Amino acid sequence: MQLSALQKSAAQAIVNIFETGSIRGDYADVTLLPGDSGQLTYGRSQTTLASGNLFLLIQDYCGQNDGSLSAALKPYLSKLQACDSSLNNDMTFRSLLKDAGSDPVMQEVQDAFFDRVYWDPAMRSADALGAQSALGAAIVYDSTVHGSWAQVRDMTRKQFGELKQIGEVQWMSDYVETRRQWLATYPNPLLHKTVYRMDAFRQIINAGNWKLGLPLVVRGLSITPDSLSDAHPVNVAAEGAPRRQLRLATPAMTGPDVSWLQQRLTLAGIHIAETGTFDADTDTAVKAFQTAHDLKADGIVGPVTRSALEDVPLVTPAKSLTPAAAEPMPAVVVPKPAPATPPAAVQPAVSAPAATGESAADIKQHVTAQVKTGVAAVQKTIVDTHQQMVSLVAPAVKAPAQKKAPLATAQEVTTVLSTVNLSGRPILAAAGSLLILLFAEIRDGIAWVTAGLSKDLAYVHVPPFPALPQSPQDAQRFFAESYVYLHALLASIPNAWMFRIRIVAMLLIVYALYRLRKTHVSLGNIQQRVSQVQGDISTAKQDFAEAQQVAQDVEQVVQTVK
């Protein structure tokens, strides 16, 4: 099939709208719908975890040396390959996917991946079918992405015939109707909500736009040449080297950025000696400046306060400024290393005295990736430990209601009775009832055997069931006769049946003792395991806090590198 580049882009845009509601597709879209057999879905054309395609996509991305989050996502490859459903609720993993969607490298990888996994196979299927139109290609491509193309294709062939026999226009129209009916009646109710895909194709078919001429409106979005040629958004800060936040600290912060601050404060009418050291007087002057400009008076020179200081020359003559202070706040390399030993790859960023331009960007990118990898690993440990504790406790609480244990054997009952702990009230009550019933059954059993040998057991005559009361005054008569009836009914039950009923009751009590003992043992084991897991979580939280502190310190180092 020969399509122009614009027709291919239009066909893919239609499916992008179906999948993410965007013409270009949302490269960062992460979706998890309850009941969706595909489980977690991601990217421009929503590849799925359950199919294994998400693993292939992330593997391609991690193979790129310049992917900003490649290193952070690599630890997840083994779980992705196993289609591990725990990733559905791994919020750290989902956050990494979303952040990676804004990486131009990930966008290029997705474009190539979805062409290889979906577009190329769809075009081969269209050629095999004999389809030639751009709209036919879009219909085949949509079903390839959405799933079950071959199944519905064969349903259409069986019902209406081959495309080459009845023509592409008629066959594709029949296919769209067949697929719509299939989606609307599928056992999974989630698919019922996707019939809009076929409704959209039906509108294009009715318009006779088989060449996908533009402009083309799909679900309220207008596909035009301009919308298809929009470049992917690239989120890159327009700032030069990052500037550090200035504040009162120990040891005191020093450098040309502090000198710049003191000169700007003086120019703003708050006179302060230019020492190049952020001391208590400088802190007081900063707070006074913040108060005068309706800013939060916290003494920290961050982006908001720095912006106000940079606006000072607009309202104050700049003739008193030195050439250095006339420029924006300079970036300063932090001379001291981070408190904790950073990874080996981070060390050059601390020791490099004059990194500039692309080298600084490379250092920051590498440090950020390493830090995110470490923090993500600690977060994952905490989440996994928490899920392990929940999985241990939840099934144990629900187990008695979900699973019925078989009746205990004689050996099991003997073992349980020999080890039962009689300190609990339920066990004491059950044991007492068992002894009383056992004594009564011995007596009644002897009487039953004796009576049974005579073969002349007498049965009490049971009167007819009393007539229902005809008035409120007749109720007393009804209750009195009902009592006599029930008494006679119970008295008519042979001793053999009463004995059997008591035997069943006794067996139920033995079974209750067995289950109580098993539950007591299980809860004891769970309590011990929960205590261990809680200890592990506490340790993991401490490690996570230390990792966050390292991340903050390293990030501060990176921000000050030129």
Side-chain angles (χ1 to χ4, degrees):
M1 177 180 292
Q2 297 296 326
L3 298 181
S4 67
L6 197 59
Q7 287 176 321
K8 175 183 176 180
S9 297
Q12 292 182 337
I14 294 173
V15 178
N16 289 341
I17 292 173
F18 292 161
E19 292 290 325
T20 64
S22 170
I23 293 175
R24 293 291 301 180
D26 186 352
Y27 293 85
D29 188 63
V30 180
T31 304
L32 178 62
L33 295 177
D36 187 354
S37 59
Q39 302 186 50
L40 189 73
T41 61
Y42 174 64
R44 191 198 77 190
S45 295
Q46 293 291 279
T47 189
T48 62
L49 170 65
S51 68
N53 285 338
L54 182 56
F55 161 69
L56 298 177
L57 173 62
I58 301 304
Q59 184 181 50
D60 288 352
Y61 176 65
C62 290
Q64 305 295 318
N65 295 328
D66 51 349
S68 61
L69 292 175
S70 296
L73 284 169
K74 277 185 180 178
Y76 292 95
L77 287 177
S78 58
K79 282 192 172 184
L80 286 168
Q81 188 173 21
C83 302
D84 190 339
S85 60
S86 67
L87 294 175
N88 289 326
N89 300 308
D90 189 328
M91 302 313 296
T92 301
F93 172 67
R94 293 172 63 170
S95 178
L96 286 172
L97 288 181
K98 193 169 186 64
D99 292 342
S102 61
D103 182 2
V105 177
M106 170 61 86
Q107 294 171 2
E108 292 176 1
V109 168
Q110 285 194 29
D111 286 341
F113 175 82
F114 288 125
D115 273 3
R116 174 167 55 86
V117 174
Y118 294 130
W119 179 260
D120 293 344
M123 293 307 98
R124 285 195 298 269
S125 296
D127 288 337
L129 184 68
Q132 297 296 323
S133 69
L135 178 54
I139 293 172
V140 177
Y141 176 58
D142 171 66
S143 295
T144 302
V145 173
H146 197 205
S148 300
W149 149 252
Q151 180 180 352
V152 183
R153 175 201 63 193
D154 292 342
M155 290 168 57
T156 307
R157 293 171 59 204
K158 182 178 180 180
Q159 184 175 357
F160 299 101
E162 300 295 339
L163 180 144
K164 296 178 181 178
Q165 296 172 349
I166 63 176
E168 182 172 352
V169 173
Q170 185 61 48
W171 195 94
M172 285 296 176
S173 300
D174 292 338
Y175 174 84
V176 167
E177 294 303 323
T178 302
R179 187 173 179 85
R180 191 189 191 285
Q181 178 65 19
W182 181 77
L183 291 172
T185 58
Y186 196 79
N188 185 348
L190 282 177
L191 284 183
H192 302 173
K193 301 178 180 180
T194 64
V195 296
Y196 66 83
R197 305 169 86 112
M198 297 302 104
D199 291 339
F201 280 127
R202 186 161 53 187
Q203 291 178 2
I204 302 174
I205 290 174
N206 292 339
N209 190 1
W210 291 89
K211 293 184 178 181
L212 294 183
L214 303 181
L216 177 64
V217 178
V218 177
R219 292 182 62 79
L221 296 178
S222 181
I223 304 174
T224 65
D226 290 339
S227 65
L228 293 176
S229 62
D230 287 343
H232 303 316
V234 180
N235 298 325
V236 179
E239 287 278 2
R243 277 78 60 83
R244 60 177 176 171
Q245 289 186 349
L246 299 180
R247 65 186 184 281
L248 188 63
T250 303
M253 303 178 75
T254 60
D257 51 351
V258 179
S259 298
W260 177 92
L261 167 65
Q262 292 167 337
Q263 288 194 33
R264 285 298 173 98
L265 289 172
T266 300
L267 182 63
I270 303 175
H271 296 281
I272 181 73
E274 184 185 342
T275 62
T277 300
F278 198 111
D279 50 18
D281 292 339
T282 305
D283 178 65
T284 302
V286 169
K287 291 178 179 177
F289 176 83
Q290 290 171 330
T291 301
H293 290 77
D294 297 325
L295 304 176
K296 182 180 180 181
D298 54 6
I300 299 175
V301 183
V304 178
T305 302
R306 183 171 66 246
S307 176
L309 288 167
E310 290 174 345
D311 290 339
V312 168
L314 298 177
V315 294
T316 304
K319 60 183 180 180
S320 59
L321 289 176
T322 64
E327 299 293 331
M329 176 187 285
V332 174
V333 177
V334 178
K336 63 186 181 78
T341 303
V346 181
Q347 293 177 357
V350 178
S351 60
T356 60
E358 294 182 357
S359 61
D362 292 341
I363 292 173
K364 178 179 180 181
Q365 177 178 328
H366 189 70
V367 170
T368 302
Q370 294 295 326
V371 171
K372 285 186 176 180
T373 301
V375 173
V378 176
Q379 289 176 328
K380 180 176 180 297
T381 300
I382 294 175
V383 172
D384 289 347
T385 305
H386 177 265
Q387 291 179 345
Q388 182 183 11
M389 183 181 71
V390 171
S391 64
L392 283 172
V393 177
V397 175
K398 298 180 181 178
Q402 291 178 349
K403 183 179 179 181
K404 295 182 179 179
L407 291 176
T409 63
Q411 184 177 1
E412 290 174 333
V413 172
T414 304
T415 303
V416 169
L417 291 178
S418 64
T419 58
V420 107
N421 183 0
L422 298 180
S423 61
R425 291 182 180 179
I427 297 180
L428 286 175
S433 299
L434 178 63
L435 291 175
I436 293 172
L437 281 176
L438 186 61
F439 176 77
E441 289 309 324
I442 292 173
R443 175 188 173 282
D444 288 349
I446 295 173
W448 176 55
V449 172
T450 303
L453 293 176
S454 65
K455 305 295 182 181
D456 57 352
L457 290 175
Y459 296 97
V460 178
H461 174 69
V462 180
F465 188 79
L468 297 175
Q470 302 299 319
S471 64
Q473 293 75 15
D474 193 33
Q476 183 176 1
R477 186 271 313 165
F478 174 75
F479 288 124
E481 292 181 359
S482 297
Y483 172 78
V484 173
Y485 172 80
L486 291 175
H487 187 272
L489 179 65
L490 293 175
S492 67
I493 300 176
N495 286 336
W497 285 103
M498 292 299 297
F499 179 74
R500 291 166 186 168
I501 291 172
R502 288 169 179 165
I503 289 295
V504 171
M506 188 162 55
L507 290 176
L508 290 175
I509 292 174
V510 172
Y511 177 69
L513 288 172
Y514 170 72
R515 295 303 302 168
L516 282 171
R517 178 61 182 173
K518 293 288 289 184
T519 302
H520 175 74
V521 173
S522 299
L523 289 177
N525 293 337
I526 291 173
Q527 185 176 7
Q528 181 181 4
R529 181 57 182 158
V530 167
S531 300
Q532 295 175 354
V533 173
Q534 287 176 338
D536 294 340
I537 290 178
S538 177
T539 303
K541 285 183 178 179
Q542 294 177 359
D543 294 340
F544 178 57
E546 293 176 359
Q548 282 187 318
Q549 183 61 45
V550 172
Q552 292 174 0
D553 293 335
V554 174
E555 184 66 21
Q556 184 178 0
V557 172
V558 174
Q559 289 179 355
T560 58
V561 174
K562 290 185 179 179

